Amino acid sequence: MVKLLLTGLWVCVVTLGAVYFSVQMSAAPAPVDEEARKKELLELVRGESITIPVISDGAISGYFLSRVSFMMDKEKIKGVKLPMTELTTDELFTLLIGNKMVDLSKPGAFELEKFRSSIKDDLNKKLGDGLVAEVLVEQLDYLSKEDIRNNASRGNKNPNPGKKIVEGVKVEEPKSTGH
């Protein structure tokens, strides 16, 4: 009889302990995924495909084909009244033509991270610190005048895509949350 009573008491203690710990674990705050939280605060601003002429010796020698998108702070972008497309186009012209960041004679010397940080820093200076969180280079290619002439002479069949300066990232539109 005593054994039966002690066994019942033991079962009650184990059950109460299990319930107590399960309630404690479910009430504990779940670990926050810092990366996911940061992405929720950002909004994708798609860039346009732009063509920037390369001028050397007073004549156009080719064209940069580029598309750059941005991850921007959702709250800060609401207050911006400036046209983002024109600002980013101006910044790309400055970096690719004015600063000569891309030296076509040394295609392997291009520093993508320096390019991204220059765009980010300059836009944040113009628009307000912290607005641009990340720069996504989708495309940065170079087409010489000869490539363009050859493509035109072939009737644009099997066109030469030019010199890839950066292997771009694929940027997809964020899925609608259904608000």
Side-chain angles (χ1 to χ4, degrees), residues 118-138:
S118 294
I119 293 173
K120 179 181 171 182
D121 294 343
D122 288 353
L123 284 176
N124 279 334
K125 279 181 200 170
K126 288 179 185 176
L127 302 173
D129 196 33
L131 181 70
V132 178
E134 189 177 348
V135 176
L136 307 168
V137 179
E138 294 182 61

Side-chain angles (χ1 to χ4, degrees), residues 90-106:
D90 176 61
E91 191 58 36
L92 289 173
F93 267 94
T94 302
L95 287 172
L96 293 172
I97 305 302
N99 294 347
K100 298 263 185 203
M101 283 197 79
V102 180
D103 183 359
L104 295 171
S105 64
K106 302 175 192 168

